[in-house]
Structures are given as C-alpha cells and as structure tokens.
Amino acid sequence: MALMENQDEFNWEVRDLAKIAFKRWWVPLPVTAICLLVAVTVMMFWTPVYTGTVRLLVSGTAKTDSPLYSPVPAGRMMSIALSHAEMIKSQDILQTVVVDLGLHKRKNELYFSAPKRWVLRGLDWGLDLYEQAGQFVMASILNLPPSEGRRKDIVMQAVEALEKRVVTEAVDKTDVLTVKVKDYDPEMAARIGNLMAQRYTVFVMKQQAADLATQYGPKHPLTMQLMEDIARQELHIVAGKPALALSTGVGTIKIVQTAHAATKPSQPKRRPILLVSLIGGLLGGVILMFILERFDPTFQGLESLRRGLPFPVIGVVPKKIWRKSGALKGNTHDRIDLDPFMGLAYQIDSLRRRAGAKILCLSAAEETRSTVRLAQMLALCLSRIEEERDPSKDGRVLLVEAQQSGSHFLQSRGDAKDGALIAVKSLEESAEPHAAVQRIDDHLSVAVLSKAGRSSSAISLGERKCRDFLRNASEKFGTVLIGGSGLSHRPDALMLNALCDSTIVIINDEMTRKKALAGLLAMLEINKITVLGAILNDQRHHLPGPLYRIF
C-alpha cells in the first residue's frame, strides 16, 4: 500500500502555473525586500567616486621644417597615442602630482560613511593586534629578535593608490588621448587630472627642447619658443591654475580640454543598482516560488492526491466550509451547519454498507484542529442519515474519541441543561464499558477512550477490553466511528486500527507530508488493515472563480 511512483511527475499546466502564482504570491516580496536591503547596504558602504576628464591632442609635427619633426605616418599615430597613454601614468609624473597636491597627507576615511569608518577601524585594530601578538610570540616564546619590518613610504603608497585610479585611453581613429582620474572629492579629481596633463606636457616639451638644442643650439627660435612655453606652463602649475584648453605652442602634446569638478558621482550609479536589485529580486522570487512548489513535500490538491494514492479518494472538505459552517468556533452541534458535510457522510455510509463494515477508524498522518472536528461532524451527519433511514431506532451512531483530555465534542457543546456532559468518565475509569458511553441525542452517543493525562490508554486497558468494548458497541450501534486528536501519534494507534473493520485516511491539503503519509500506509499494510478510502481535508482553492473557469 505504498504511494504511487508517478506522484512527483513534472507536468504543470497553465492552470497549475496560475495556481502557484496565486498560492505563493508572497514569496517574491521578501526576496525583493532582501535584495533591495542588500543594495542599500552596499551603497551605504560604497563611497561616491567622482571622475575628472582631461583630453590631450597628440601631434606628430612641429612648426618647423626640420626633418627631426617630419610628419608621422597615419599608421603609427595610434601606437604613438598608446605610448603616451602609458607614459603619462609613469611613477615620476604621479609622484610629482602627489607631492604637489599633498595627497600623501590626506585622510581618505574622512569621505567614508560612518559605518564604513567603524568597520575599517575595526579591521585596522585587528591587524595591529595580530602584529603585536606575532611580535610577542617571537620575542617571548621563540626568543627571536623582533622584526623591524619595512618602513612604509606613505608617498609611494599614495602614488600606487593614484595609479589605480587613473585610466588612460586613446580615442579610436583620432589623435586624442583621454585621461580620467577618479577621486572621492570632485574638486580634487579635476585638479589631479589637470596637473597630470600639465606635468606631462612640460616633460614632453623639455624633451623636445633638449633635442632641438642639441641639433640647432639653445638660441634657435624654436628652442627659445619651447622654453617660453615651458616657463609659462610652470607658472600655471605654481599658481595652481589649469592650462588653457586649445593653447597654442610648438609642442607635440597639447591640452584640448581641461577637467572640471563633476556635479554627479560616476560611482555608484544608484538608480541602475536599485532597478537591477528590484528586477533581480522579483525574478529570483518567482524562481524560488516554483522551486518551493516543485520540492514541496506535501500533497498539492486533489489531482496530486489521486495520482499518489493506491486507493480512491472518498470526498473533499474545502477549507471555506469550515469557515461557513462555524464548526471550528466552539458552537454547539445544533448551531453548526451540517449540510456541507452531508454529501461526504452519504458517501462514507454507502461504502461502509457495501463493505459490511460497522467500526470505522479515522487516521490522519498529521492532525490539525479540523481533523479532530471532522470526526465529530461526520458522526453528527451519520446520525442524521440513520434518523432519515429509520426514525424509530434510537442511538444508532457511536463516536469514540481517542484522546487524552476528555471529549472535545462534549466540552465544546456546553449544554447547560445537562452538566454531566462535561464530566464523562473514560473507558479506563469506568468499571463497566457501558458506563463510558454518554448519549448526546436520540441517534448519537459519545465515548471517551482515554483517561486525562494518559498517553496510551488502549495499551493500559489491554487489547481484550478494547475488543470487547468495540464488539459490544458494534452490536448495539449501527455505526461506530473512532477519531480524536491523539490517534495518529499514540503508541496504541496500531491496536485501535487493527480492531476496526476499516480505516479512512484523512489527508490535509498542503499540510500532510508525503513521508508521514507513506509511514502511516506502511504501518497499515504491514498489519493488513483495510483502507476504505481517503478524505482530502482543508482543500484550498487559490485561483479565483473567474480565472479557474478560464484556465
């Protein structure tokens, strides 16, 4: 009596996909919220970076007829621009810029957010503590002289850091060289870019002047013009002024665009990051929604149950019936709407009579409050059927509640005119079996199997006493129904099922795990217990009515 092998087939239809969407609509919400929270946290620790851009014109000719500065072939122009792109990032140029602007004295953590500063300070404190511990171990335990370590050159550290923030590239099919400098301060990014361009143009012009002086002498007009341009450029550098764009001169490198302070940070791009986080969270939530559905260990609806069970499904109890009938609100049995349960009761009565079974046991692999009340509702409906069949016969249905704390049915009824209903003796407490049976109305009686606080009353009573009680009950009553909150997890559940003529398995929609049901069915199969069928309890309809008809 094992579960069928095809119960996990991956054969979703459009209706199944729509059902999953309405059932697990909430899954994308926390996933999206987590993605947005992560994005906001990352941006909190991501210090804004501004970019200053300078453009240089690389020319292969000078204003002279000297063969030294003859036109360069177009094919070599790109290689010359790439050479300048690498040379402008040389450490000599960068070191001069660092010293001129005092970048080695600046504290970058002033630009960081407060959480980032705390984290970095904690990491620095941990590294310092680690170094101190290492020095202590070397001096005190290993008796080794403490290592002096290399003195950190803060200027070279600033140069290496600046080199990582400078990006140079030659514009394709042009003689233009672009220099981009990134910094936490937009003003400083522009100053660094302009100073790098000025220092490099001075460096190139000095090289040109030296070459011309060697060939034509220092009094050559072109040499003197270059020296004047160099002096003028150095005056701009000392005054802290950027060179004028499109300035004339005889040098082969000219500044065609100076850098200006950016108004918006180049990183992080907050809107794209938030948009990607939102879309990624929604897509991830949808994917997780289908993954959860695919690997859900419970039964999902009536079709899944029918494919997985080796016996028929007797009936279905929708979840909305419990809300409408008021059966879970503690109402008395005369105030509960039993009409929604009558169809299921007729089906059970028909199958019971056809199988010749009088004693039925309701077994749930995993019980809920509704499974406990379901036995009571079916007992009331079966008593009504017996009354319709033969009104002259009294007491035709007996409900045996196998639980540990008294009858839920009797406690919830709260009949003020019969106070004895609250103090019904259990079968274990009664000297005679019939003393444990309490009559509710003309066609329904209730018996409590367990003593309060006892976890396995059937074992303590003994199989013989339970069998005698059920045999006498089957002779006196037309139908004996065993149910209760403690049945499936009780040690004596197997004994109770074995003493019954047939068992009805109750499966809660989207709650009963397949492994738990497989264990229950294996137990019933080993002990050769007849299963009349299954009831799908708390069935949920996630699709609205119009959509259900469309799909």
PDB file of all heavy atoms in Angstrom, residues 377-401:
ATOM      1  N   MET A 377     -18.105  16.020  13.076  1.00  0.00           N
ATOM      2  CA  MET A 377     -19.075  16.414  12.057  1.00  0.00           C
ATOM      3  C   MET A 377     -19.626  15.188  11.315  1.00  0.00           C
ATOM      4  O   MET A 377     -20.831  15.095  11.035  1.00  0.00           O
ATOM      5  CB  MET A 377     -18.431  17.376  11.060  1.00  0.00           C
ATOM      6  CG  MET A 377     -17.944  18.694  11.644  1.00  0.00           C
ATOM      7  SD  MET A 377     -19.251  19.648  12.455  1.00  0.00           S
ATOM      8  CE  MET A 377     -18.909  19.263  14.186  1.00  0.00           C
ATOM      9  N   LEU A 378     -18.745  14.234  11.004  1.00  0.00           N
ATOM     10  CA  LEU A 378     -19.212  13.032  10.312  1.00  0.00           C
ATOM     11  C   LEU A 378     -20.117  12.199  11.202  1.00  0.00           C
ATOM     12  O   LEU A 378     -21.083  11.591  10.724  1.00  0.00           O
ATOM     13  CB  LEU A 378     -18.005  12.206   9.862  1.00  0.00           C
ATOM     14  CG  LEU A 378     -17.145  12.833   8.752  1.00  0.00           C
ATOM     15  CD1 LEU A 378     -15.947  11.944   8.444  1.00  0.00           C
ATOM     16  CD2 LEU A 378     -17.974  13.049   7.492  1.00  0.00           C
ATOM     17  N   ALA A 379     -19.815  12.165  12.505  1.00  0.00           N
ATOM     18  CA  ALA A 379     -20.688  11.431  13.426  1.00  0.00           C
ATOM     19  C   ALA A 379     -22.076  12.059  13.481  1.00  0.00           C
ATOM     20  O   ALA A 379     -23.103  11.356  13.469  1.00  0.00           O
ATOM     21  CB  ALA A 379     -20.049  11.385  14.812  1.00  0.00           C
ATOM     22  N   LEU A 380     -22.125  13.389  13.519  1.00  0.00           N
ATOM     23  CA  LEU A 380     -23.424  14.067  13.526  1.00  0.00           C
ATOM     24  C   LEU A 380     -24.181  13.815  12.224  1.00  0.00           C
ATOM     25  O   LEU A 380     -25.400  13.569  12.230  1.00  0.00           O
ATOM     26  CB  LEU A 380     -23.216  15.572  13.734  1.00  0.00           C
ATOM     27  CG  LEU A 380     -22.779  16.023  15.137  1.00  0.00           C
ATOM     28  CD1 LEU A 380     -22.375  17.491  15.120  1.00  0.00           C
ATOM     29  CD2 LEU A 380     -23.893  15.788  16.139  1.00  0.00           C
ATOM     30  N   CYS A 381     -23.459  13.869  11.086  1.00  0.00           N
ATOM     31  CA  CYS A 381     -24.115  13.635   9.799  1.00  0.00           C
ATOM     32  C   CYS A 381     -24.581  12.182   9.667  1.00  0.00           C
ATOM     33  O   CYS A 381     -25.685  11.916   9.158  1.00  0.00           O
ATOM     34  CB  CYS A 381     -23.160  13.978   8.663  1.00  0.00           C
ATOM     35  SG  CYS A 381     -22.756  15.738   8.532  1.00  0.00           S
ATOM     36  N   LEU A 382     -23.781  11.225  10.130  1.00  0.00           N
ATOM     37  CA  LEU A 382     -24.192   9.819  10.074  1.00  0.00           C
ATOM     38  C   LEU A 382     -25.401   9.565  10.964  1.00  0.00           C
ATOM     39  O   LEU A 382     -26.279   8.752  10.618  1.00  0.00           O
ATOM     40  CB  LEU A 382     -23.027   8.916  10.494  1.00  0.00           C
ATOM     41  CG  LEU A 382     -21.855   8.845   9.493  1.00  0.00           C
ATOM     42  CD1 LEU A 382     -20.707   8.040  10.093  1.00  0.00           C
ATOM     43  CD2 LEU A 382     -22.308   8.212   8.178  1.00  0.00           C
ATOM     44  N   SER A 383     -25.459  10.262  12.105  1.00  0.00           N
ATOM     45  CA  SER A 383     -26.651  10.105  12.953  1.00  0.00           C
ATOM     46  C   SER A 383     -27.889  10.661  12.268  1.00  0.00           C
ATOM     47  O   SER A 383     -28.988  10.098  12.386  1.00  0.00           O
ATOM     48  CB  SER A 383     -26.418  10.805  14.295  1.00  0.00           C
ATOM     49  OG  SER A 383     -26.311  12.213  14.124  1.00  0.00           O
ATOM     50  N   ARG A 384     -27.731  11.741  11.516  1.00  0.00           N
ATOM     51  CA  ARG A 384     -28.870  12.284  10.771  1.00  0.00           C
ATOM     52  C   ARG A 384     -29.304  11.310   9.667  1.00  0.00           C
ATOM     53  O   ARG A 384     -30.501  11.130   9.399  1.00  0.00           O
ATOM     54  CB  ARG A 384     -28.503  13.637  10.180  1.00  0.00           C
ATOM     55  CG  ARG A 384     -29.625  14.277   9.399  1.00  0.00           C
ATOM     56  CD  ARG A 384     -29.219  15.615   8.808  1.00  0.00           C
ATOM     57  NE  ARG A 384     -28.969  16.612   9.846  1.00  0.00           N
ATOM     58  CZ  ARG A 384     -28.653  17.884   9.593  1.00  0.00           C
ATOM     59  NH1 ARG A 384     -28.550  18.286   8.325  1.00  0.00           N
ATOM     60  NH2 ARG A 384     -28.447  18.726  10.572  1.00  0.00           N
ATOM     61  N   ILE A 385     -28.317  10.665   9.009  1.00  0.00           N
ATOM     62  CA  ILE A 385     -28.660   9.677   7.980  1.00  0.00           C
ATOM     63  C   ILE A 385     -29.403   8.501   8.591  1.00  0.00           C
ATOM     64  O   ILE A 385     -30.387   7.991   8.023  1.00  0.00           O
ATOM     65  CB  ILE A 385     -27.373   9.211   7.272  1.00  0.00           C
ATOM     66  CG1 ILE A 385     -26.773  10.374   6.476  1.00  0.00           C
ATOM     67  CG2 ILE A 385     -27.659   8.040   6.353  1.00  0.00           C
ATOM     68  CD1 ILE A 385     -25.420  10.050   5.879  1.00  0.00           C
ATOM     69  N   GLU A 386     -28.956   8.037   9.753  1.00  0.00           N
ATOM     70  CA  GLU A 386     -29.645   6.937  10.432  1.00  0.00           C
ATOM     71  C   GLU A 386     -31.051   7.349  10.843  1.00  0.00           C
ATOM     72  O   GLU A 386     -31.990   6.542  10.779  1.00  0.00           O
ATOM     73  CB  GLU A 386     -28.837   6.511  11.664  1.00  0.00           C
ATOM     74  CG  GLU A 386     -27.497   5.859  11.361  1.00  0.00           C
ATOM     75  CD  GLU A 386     -27.672   4.501  10.719  1.00  0.00           C
ATOM     76  OE1 GLU A 386     -28.765   3.921  10.811  1.00  0.00           O
ATOM     77  OE2 GLU A 386     -26.695   4.011  10.108  1.00  0.00           O
ATOM     78  N   GLU A 387     -31.199   8.579  11.227  1.00  0.00           N
ATOM     79  CA  GLU A 387     -32.544   9.056  11.591  1.00  0.00           C
ATOM     80  C   GLU A 387     -33.446   9.094  10.365  1.00  0.00           C
ATOM     81  O   GLU A 387     -34.634   8.742  10.450  1.00  0.00           O
ATOM     82  CB  GLU A 387     -32.417  10.454  12.197  1.00  0.00           C
ATOM     83  CG  GLU A 387     -33.761  11.031  12.642  1.00  0.00           C
ATOM     84  CD  GLU A 387     -33.613  12.409  13.229  1.00  0.00           C
ATOM     85  OE1 GLU A 387     -32.482  12.948  13.210  1.00  0.00           O
ATOM     86  OE2 GLU A 387     -34.621  12.972  13.702  1.00  0.00           O
ATOM     87  N   GLU A 388     -32.909   9.502   9.212  1.00  0.00           N
ATOM     88  CA  GLU A 388     -33.715   9.503   7.998  1.00  0.00           C
ATOM     89  C   GLU A 388     -34.071   8.085   7.565  1.00  0.00           C
ATOM     90  O   GLU A 388     -35.157   7.839   7.043  1.00  0.00           O
ATOM     91  CB  GLU A 388     -32.955  10.216   6.880  1.00  0.00           C
ATOM     92  CG  GLU A 388     -32.735  11.699   7.119  1.00  0.00           C
ATOM     93  CD  GLU A 388     -31.870  12.314   6.042  1.00  0.00           C
ATOM     94  OE1 GLU A 388     -31.388  11.548   5.178  1.00  0.00           O
ATOM     95  OE2 GLU A 388     -31.676  13.553   6.049  1.00  0.00           O
ATOM     96  N   ARG A 389     -33.113   7.175   7.786  1.00  0.00           N
ATOM     97  CA  ARG A 389     -33.356   5.799   7.365  1.00  0.00           C
ATOM     98  C   ARG A 389     -34.414   5.113   8.241  1.00  0.00           C
ATOM     99  O   ARG A 389     -35.279   4.410   7.721  1.00  0.00           O
ATOM    100  CB  ARG A 389     -32.042   5.009   7.395  1.00  0.00           C
ATOM    101  CG  ARG A 389     -32.178   3.588   6.865  1.00  0.00           C
ATOM    102  CD  ARG A 389     -30.834   2.859   6.888  1.00  0.00           C
ATOM    103  NE  ARG A 389     -29.911   3.458   5.925  1.00  0.00           N
ATOM    104  CZ  ARG A 389     -28.768   4.030   6.260  1.00  0.00           C
ATOM    105  NH1 ARG A 389     -28.391   4.063   7.529  1.00  0.00           N
ATOM    106  NH2 ARG A 389     -27.988   4.556   5.328  1.00  0.00           N
ATOM    107  N   ASP A 390     -34.324   5.272   9.551  1.00  0.00           N
ATOM    108  CA  ASP A 390     -35.274   4.624  10.461  1.00  0.00           C
ATOM    109  C   ASP A 390     -35.436   5.504  11.693  1.00  0.00           C
ATOM    110  O   ASP A 390     -34.691   5.381  12.669  1.00  0.00           O
ATOM    111  CB  ASP A 390     -34.774   3.239  10.859  1.00  0.00           C
ATOM    112  CG  ASP A 390     -35.856   2.432  11.578  1.00  0.00           C
ATOM    113  OD1 ASP A 390     -36.945   2.998  11.855  1.00  0.00           O
ATOM    114  OD2 ASP A 390     -35.614   1.247  11.857  1.00  0.00           O
ATOM    115  N   PRO A 391     -36.409   6.409  11.697  1.00  0.00           N
ATOM    116  CA  PRO A 391     -36.579   7.312  12.837  1.00  0.00           C
ATOM    117  C   PRO A 391     -36.959   6.598  14.134  1.00  0.00           C
ATOM    118  O   PRO A 391     -36.758   7.139  15.228  1.00  0.00           O
ATOM    119  CB  PRO A 391     -37.700   8.254  12.386  1.00  0.00           C
ATOM    120  CG  PRO A 391     -37.748   8.128  10.899  1.00  0.00           C
ATOM    121  CD  PRO A 391     -37.354   6.710  10.608  1.00  0.00           C
ATOM    122  N   SER A 392     -37.450   5.394  14.041  1.00  0.00           N
ATOM    123  CA  SER A 392     -37.910   4.698  15.252  1.00  0.00           C
ATOM    124  C   SER A 392     -36.759   4.144  16.085  1.00  0.00           C
ATOM    125  O   SER A 392     -36.922   3.904  17.278  1.00  0.00           O
ATOM    126  CB  SER A 392     -38.856   3.557  14.864  1.00  0.00           C
ATOM    127  OG  SER A 392     -38.178   2.605  14.056  1.00  0.00           O
ATOM    128  N   LYS A 393     -35.585   3.915  15.471  1.00  0.00           N
ATOM    129  CA  LYS A 393     -34.451   3.360  16.203  1.00  0.00           C
ATOM    130  C   LYS A 393     -33.644   4.489  16.823  1.00  0.00           C
ATOM    131  O   LYS A 393     -33.337   5.476  16.187  1.00  0.00           O
ATOM    132  CB  LYS A 393     -33.572   2.526  15.280  1.00  0.00           C
ATOM    133  CG  LYS A 393     -34.252   1.262  14.776  1.00  0.00           C
ATOM    134  CD  LYS A 393     -33.298   0.449  13.935  1.00  0.00           C
ATOM    135  CE  LYS A 393     -33.969  -0.841  13.441  1.00  0.00           C
ATOM    136  NZ  LYS A 393     -33.022  -1.647  12.632  1.00  0.00           N
ATOM    137  N   ASP A 394     -33.274   4.301  18.101  1.00  0.00           N
ATOM    138  CA  ASP A 394     -32.500   5.302  18.822  1.00  0.00           C
ATOM    139  C   ASP A 394     -31.044   4.862  18.925  1.00  0.00           C
ATOM    140  O   ASP A 394     -30.734   3.670  18.915  1.00  0.00           O
ATOM    141  CB  ASP A 394     -33.062   5.528  20.236  1.00  0.00           C
ATOM    142  CG  ASP A 394     -34.472   6.098  20.186  1.00  0.00           C
ATOM    143  OD1 ASP A 394     -34.807   6.689  19.135  1.00  0.00           O
ATOM    144  OD2 ASP A 394     -35.204   5.943  21.161  1.00  0.00           O
ATOM    145  N   GLY A 395     -30.169   5.861  19.100  1.00  0.00           N
ATOM    146  CA  GLY A 395     -28.766   5.586  19.379  1.00  0.00           C
ATOM    147  C   GLY A 395     -28.102   4.724  18.345  1.00  0.00           C
ATOM    148  O   GLY A 395     -27.531   3.685  18.667  1.00  0.00           O
ATOM    149  N   ARG A 396     -28.133   5.116  17.077  1.00  0.00           N
ATOM    150  CA  ARG A 396     -27.583   4.288  16.021  1.00  0.00           C
ATOM    151  C   ARG A 396     -26.111   4.565  15.729  1.00  0.00           C
ATOM    152  O   ARG A 396     -25.457   3.782  15.060  1.00  0.00           O
ATOM    153  CB  ARG A 396     -28.379   4.501  14.734  1.00  0.00           C
ATOM    154  CG  ARG A 396     -29.827   4.065  14.847  1.00  0.00           C
ATOM    155  CD  ARG A 396     -29.916   2.586  15.101  1.00  0.00           C
ATOM    156  NE  ARG A 396     -29.317   1.805  14.022  1.00  0.00           N
ATOM    157  CZ  ARG A 396     -29.029   0.519  14.092  1.00  0.00           C
ATOM    158  NH1 ARG A 396     -29.206  -0.140  15.239  1.00  0.00           N
ATOM    159  NH2 ARG A 396     -28.526  -0.114  13.053  1.00  0.00           N
ATOM    160  N   VAL A 397     -25.553   5.704  16.188  1.00  0.00           N
ATOM    161  CA  VAL A 397     -24.172   6.077  15.890  1.00  0.00           C
ATOM    162  C   VAL A 397     -23.429   6.337  17.199  1.00  0.00           C
ATOM    163  O   VAL A 397     -23.944   7.041  18.079  1.00  0.00           O
ATOM    164  CB  VAL A 397     -24.107   7.327  14.991  1.00  0.00           C
ATOM    165  CG1 VAL A 397     -22.657   7.742  14.729  1.00  0.00           C
ATOM    166  CG2 VAL A 397     -24.825   7.081  13.668  1.00  0.00           C
ATOM    167  N   LEU A 398     -22.229   5.748  17.308  1.00  0.00           N
ATOM    168  CA  LEU A 398     -21.370   5.956  18.479  1.00  0.00           C
ATOM    169  C   LEU A 398     -20.043   6.560  18.014  1.00  0.00           C
ATOM    170  O   LEU A 398     -19.372   6.017  17.147  1.00  0.00           O
ATOM    171  CB  LEU A 398     -21.103   4.632  19.206  1.00  0.00           C
ATOM    172  CG  LEU A 398     -20.079   4.702  20.353  1.00  0.00           C
ATOM    173  CD1 LEU A 398     -20.597   5.602  21.470  1.00  0.00           C
ATOM    174  CD2 LEU A 398     -19.753   3.305  20.891  1.00  0.00           C
ATOM    175  N   LEU A 399     -19.685   7.669  18.617  1.00  0.00           N
ATOM    176  CA  LEU A 399     -18.400   8.312  18.354  1.00  0.00           C
ATOM    177  C   LEU A 399     -17.470   8.020  19.519  1.00  0.00           C
ATOM    178  O   LEU A 399     -17.744   8.396  20.665  1.00  0.00           O
ATOM    179  CB  LEU A 399     -18.574   9.823  18.186  1.00  0.00           C
ATOM    180  CG  LEU A 399     -17.276  10.638  18.056  1.00  0.00           C
ATOM    181  CD1 LEU A 399     -16.506  10.231  16.819  1.00  0.00           C
ATOM    182  CD2 LEU A 399     -17.576  12.134  18.054  1.00  0.00           C
ATOM    183  N   VAL A 400     -16.367   7.333  19.230  1.00  0.00           N
ATOM    184  CA  VAL A 400     -15.362   7.020  20.247  1.00  0.00           C
ATOM    185  C   VAL A 400     -14.201   7.988  20.038  1.00  0.00           C
ATOM    186  O   VAL A 400     -13.516   7.940  19.018  1.00  0.00           O
ATOM    187  CB  VAL A 400     -14.875   5.565  20.134  1.00  0.00           C
ATOM    188  CG1 VAL A 400     -13.820   5.276  21.196  1.00  0.00           C
ATOM    189  CG2 VAL A 400     -16.051   4.610  20.272  1.00  0.00           C
ATOM    190  N   GLU A 401     -14.005   8.868  21.010  1.00  0.00           N
ATOM    191  CA  GLU A 401     -12.944   9.862  20.906  1.00  0.00           C
ATOM    192  C   GLU A 401     -11.716   9.362  21.646  1.00  0.00           C
ATOM    193  O   GLU A 401     -11.710   9.229  22.875  1.00  0.00           O
ATOM    194  CB  GLU A 401     -13.403  11.201  21.452  1.00  0.00           C
ATOM    195  CG  GLU A 401     -14.495  11.831  20.587  1.00  0.00           C
ATOM    196  CD  GLU A 401     -14.627  13.316  20.830  1.00  0.00           C
ATOM    197  OE1 GLU A 401     -14.837  13.692  21.995  1.00  0.00           O
ATOM    198  OE2 GLU A 401     -14.526  14.090  19.873  1.00  0.00           O
TER     199      GLU A 401
END
